[in-house]
Amino acid sequence: MLLVLSSLAFATQLDMRTEGCPTGNGVARVYSKVSANTHGGWDSDLVSYSTEGQFREYAISTCPDDLFTVYGHDMDMVLTDEQKTAVEVTLAGLRREIEDPEKLEVWERYIIAGQVYKTLGADHRQLYQLYLEASWTARDKAVGVYKGLEGPIAAWELLEQGDAELKRTDLDAHTRKILLHNLARVAHRGGFANRRDGYLKQFEAVGDLDAEEKKALQTMRWIVTDVEPKLQQLAMAELQAYLATEPSDTVELMRATYLLADLYRRQGDMGVAVQGYALVAVHPDAPQQLKDLSAWFGSMLSQ
């Protein structure tokens, strides 16, 4: 379970202040990260986790009076009269669609921020990162924190160990459900959708689920089949648009190529994923971590 803002452990990591909204309509709460750790590990699409809650949940700030939404560090931007007019048109349309701004999920506020940034002329590099982070906030809700899961290779090895554990005949139903739920979380973090769905089916099949277990199953299925994939698709569209600009920075080019390949894999399109991984694995300017991951995925998906 993620720690909430009111907990002492997380509250000591954040600084909160109010900023006047650039549109001139009221004020917004802006959070700054004071400190964090990465003891929760990282995933194949390069997201990292703190064991004390994720700052990305608080990185986006919203003006409650008009829904102007951007990263907190951009809340001090100065808008021209022309920009204010354009943003107001965008926000007016969003306000007609949103019944209760107080009930917005974190990732929904990221989507609003994306519309604002597009209106203000943000480039595809900025937008793909924003939508990627939005997808991570959804994943947070599904998986919480699993300490020390250092990337997809470690996730795969842990799943193999878990499968061996599941073969034990002395596991009681409660222990089996805990193991299956944890394996589903690990599989999702690794982007191994078939194994994740298999664990969830086994979890449900154990039977006699209490209210908390039913809620956990419902939430994970909702996130992994509906919410997170749609956010990833937004990121993928911006990644493709960014790559179409033929960026001159080869490190950024390879990072974007790798991320797009990994998102294709997470979406279930293994053929396109393998092609992207292959490009990164052999490119001389690709960061070594991405080369190694791409080679591993390429080998695994080709089996």
Side-chain angles (χ1 to χ4, degrees):
M1 184 68 70
L2 292 181
L3 297 176
V4 297
L5 180 61
S6 59
S7 70
L8 292 176
F10 200 2
T12 57
Q13 293 184 302
L14 295 179
D15 176 65
M16 192 276 283
R17 67 184 189 280
T18 58
E19 287 271 3
C21 296
T23 55
N25 299 319
V27 298
R29 286 176 293 182
V30 174
Y31 296 93
S32 301
K33 180 168 61 176
V34 177
S35 64
N37 66 57
T38 57
H39 299 164
W42 55 278
D43 292 349
S44 61
D45 54 358
L46 309 184
V47 58
S48 63
Y49 295 81
S50 167
T51 57
E52 297 179 344
Q54 314 313 322
F55 176 69
R56 52 186 167 266
E57 183 178 350
Y58 302 95
I60 293 289
S61 294
T62 299
C63 296
D65 291 351
D66 62 6
L67 288 186
F68 182 85
T69 303
V70 291
Y71 284 112
H73 57 71
D74 284 336
M75 195 55 77
D76 61 355
M77 68 171 64
V78 178
L79 301 179
T80 66
D81 290 340
E82 183 179 359
Q83 288 174 323
K84 286 181 180 180
T85 299
V87 165
E88 174 52 31
V89 171
T90 297
L91 295 177
L94 292 170
R95 289 196 296 270
R96 286 192 293 270
E97 298 173 3
I98 296 171
E99 295 182 3
D100 187 353
E102 295 297 323
K103 294 183 179 180
L104 287 170
E105 299 282 2
V106 177
W107 54 85
E108 291 175 321
R109 295 197 296 112
Y110 272 84
I111 291 175
I112 295 172
Q115 293 300 309
V116 171
Y117 281 118
K118 285 180 182 178
T119 301
L120 295 176
D123 62 32
H124 299 299
R125 170 67 178 80
Q126 294 170 296
L127 290 168
Y128 90 62
Q129 185 64 37
L130 181 140
Y131 290 131
L132 195 57
E133 290 172 14
S135 76
W136 297 339
T137 68
R139 192 179 308 165
D140 291 336
K141 190 175 184 71
V143 303
V145 173
Y146 197 104
K147 291 183 179 181
L149 191 59
E150 300 294 332
I153 300 174
W156 186 265
E157 292 173 348
L158 190 56
L159 296 179
E160 295 291 284
Q161 296 170 17
D163 284 350
E165 190 74 8
L166 286 172
K167 294 177 181 178
R168 288 176 48 185
T169 59
D170 60 338
L171 291 179
D172 60 72
H174 179 67
T175 303
R176 184 172 294 275
K177 283 187 287 187
I178 292 174
L179 177 58
L180 286 165
H181 184 243
N182 283 334
L183 288 172
R185 294 164 62 206
V186 172
H188 186 58
R189 280 193 49 179
F192 307 120
N194 289 338
R195 296 187 75 160
R196 175 201 68 212
D197 293 344
Y199 295 130
L200 291 178
K201 287 180 181 179
Q202 291 180 67
F203 175 83
E204 187 174 28
V206 173
D208 196 26
L209 303 184
D210 62 27
E212 185 177 357
E213 291 166 342
K214 289 178 181 178
K215 180 65 174 177
L217 179 62
Q218 179 185 44
T219 297
M220 180 170 281
R221 282 180 167 162
W222 169 54
I223 294 293
V224 305
T225 62
D226 185 30
V227 178
E228 189 178 345
K230 291 178 180 177
L231 296 167
Q232 289 171 338
Q233 288 161 16
L234 291 173
M236 291 167 73
E238 295 299 335
L239 276 161
Q240 290 165 333
Y242 173 68
L243 289 171
T245 67
E246 299 182 353
S248 58
D249 186 329
T250 54
V251 172
E252 284 298 316
L253 173 65
M254 287 297 100
R255 180 179 186 273
T257 301
Y258 169 82
L259 285 170
L260 185 58
D262 199 64
L263 291 176
Y264 270 116
R265 179 183 64 87
R266 285 176 173 271
Q267 294 274 319
D269 195 334
M270 303 306 175
V272 177
V274 167
Q275 294 175 26
Y277 287 136
L279 289 172
V280 178
V282 300
H283 198 286
D285 295 327
Q288 191 61 48
Q289 179 195 34
L290 301 188
K291 289 168 71 74
D292 292 344
L293 285 172
S294 295
W296 184 80
F297 277 123
S299 175
M300 184 187 70
L301 295 176
S302 298
Q303 294 177 1

